Amino acid sequence: DGGITQSPKYLFRKEGQNVTLSCEQNLNHDAMYWYRQDPGQGLRLIYYSQIVNDFQKGDIAEGYSVSREKKESFPLTVTSAQKNPTAFYLCASSIVGETYQPQHFGDGTRLSIL
Amino acid sequence: AQSVAQPEDQVNVAEGNPLTVKCTYSVSGNPYLFWYVQYPNRGLQFLLKYITGDNLVKGSYGFEAEFNKSQTSFHLKKPSALVSDSALYFCAVSLSFAGNMLTFGGGTRLMVKP
């Protein structure tokens, strides 16, 4: 079955450490997205990419970095500059050009500070 | 800028009763509107969308939503609630010229009691 796989499901970060969250999709979608979810705040966009080797900052990009070397993969690195990284991180993908098509989501990674 | 409001943090309803989860939006163009559902520690699942045409949209699991342009609303409804409908519901909007970029509401927790 096609879908989006996020790993790991749970991740713990030490002070000063960078951690990378994995997102892989086999839906052949060109666009991929990273969201942060905090209780009561809905989803906020961190980064998005509409084509390989190109990505754009979202609303809360500070302290995060991404890469898009392959169509199927869009890893997110939470750097030590992100002072409040504890959250639920969601990856999504969609078709580009057909704006009425919904985004498809992975099952998320929950990041906590040790 | 576009925005979405879900005025109720939580909606409580008894099993078998009709349910409504409210959503209002603010955009400066023609909106595409979406409802998603999230179960604990899972990603978002697409329920239904409004693109154009009939104001009453039917979706998955017996849910439907009514688009009201004059009131800028897109309320989610179901004639008879099930305990298994208990989850977090998100309304989202995108614009026809903005690609697949979604703006999400803050979410509404639906609690269906037996």
Side-chain angles (χ1 to χ4, degrees):
Chain A
D1 288 339
I4 299 179
T5 301
Q6 290 187 241
S7 63
K9 194 168 181 65
Y10 299 95
L11 187 58
F12 298 91
R13 195 191 88 169
K14 296 179 181 178
E15 291 287 338
Q17 185 182 43
N18 293 352
V19 292
T20 298
L21 285 61
S22 172
C23 177
E24 303 278 334
Q25 56 100 358
N26 60 5
L27 298 167
N28 200 32
H29 287 169
D30 285 305
M32 297 187 74
Y33 313 82
W34 274 106
Y35 294 93
R36 172 178 170 140
Q37 184 177 15
D38 294 283
Q41 293 194 39
L43 276 69
R44 292 183 289 170
L45 183 65
I46 305 172
Y47 269 98
Y48 66 98
S49 168
Q50 294 191 315
I51 194 170
V52 174
N53 292 323
D54 186 49
F55 47 83
Q56 307 296 329
K57 292 182 179 180
D59 300 321
I60 55 165
E62 185 175 352
Y64 300 98
S65 66
V66 293
S67 63
R68 187 82 187 277
E69 298 177 0
K70 299 187 300 181
K71 185 176 183 178
E72 301 80 15
S73 178
F74 191 41
L76 173 74
T77 296
V78 184
T79 75
S80 57
Q82 172 51 245
K83 297 307 180 187
N84 183 24
T86 298
F88 191 50
Y89 291 86
L90 288 164
C91 180
S93 70
S94 72
I95 297 171
V96 171
E98 297 176 14
T99 57
Y100 50 87
Q101 293 297 334
Q103 292 182 11
H104 296 255
F105 285 80
D107 277 339
T109 293
R110 190 168 297 280
L111 177 61
S112 302
I113 294 181
L114 281 177
Chain B
Q2 59 200 52
S3 65
V4 178
Q6 293 182 240
E8 301 156 318
D9 290 336
Q10 182 161 318
V11 170
N12 297 311
V13 64
E15 187 175 29
N17 283 1
L19 69 88
T20 298
V21 182
K22 296 179 180 178
C23 171
T24 59
Y25 65 91
S26 175
V27 299
S28 56
N30 292 322
Y32 294 154
L33 293 155
F34 301 82
W35 275 103
Y36 287 85
V37 60
Q38 184 182 34
Y39 297 99
N41 295 311
R42 300 295 300 276
L44 274 64
Q45 296 178 28
F46 169 71
L47 276 180
L48 52 77
K49 64 186 178 186
Y50 171 82
I51 305 302
T52 187
D54 194 349
N55 289 341
L56 185 64
V57 178
K58 294 189 183 296
S60 305
Y61 312 120
F63 284 93
E64 57 189 28
E66 186 169 12
F67 172 66
N68 187 317
K69 188 173 184 177
S70 63
Q71 296 186 5
T72 62
S73 67
F74 188 56
H75 299 332
L76 181 70
K77 301 180 180 184
K78 186 173 183 181
S80 178
L82 299 172
V83 173
S84 57
D85 292 330
S86 299
L88 189 56
Y89 290 81
F90 288 97
C91 182
V93 64
S94 70
L95 293 173
S96 57
F97 53 84
N100 294 76
M101 304 306 298
L102 289 176
T103 298
F104 286 88
T108 297
R109 186 165 302 281
L110 174 66
M111 298 290 290
V112 181
K113 298 182 180 179

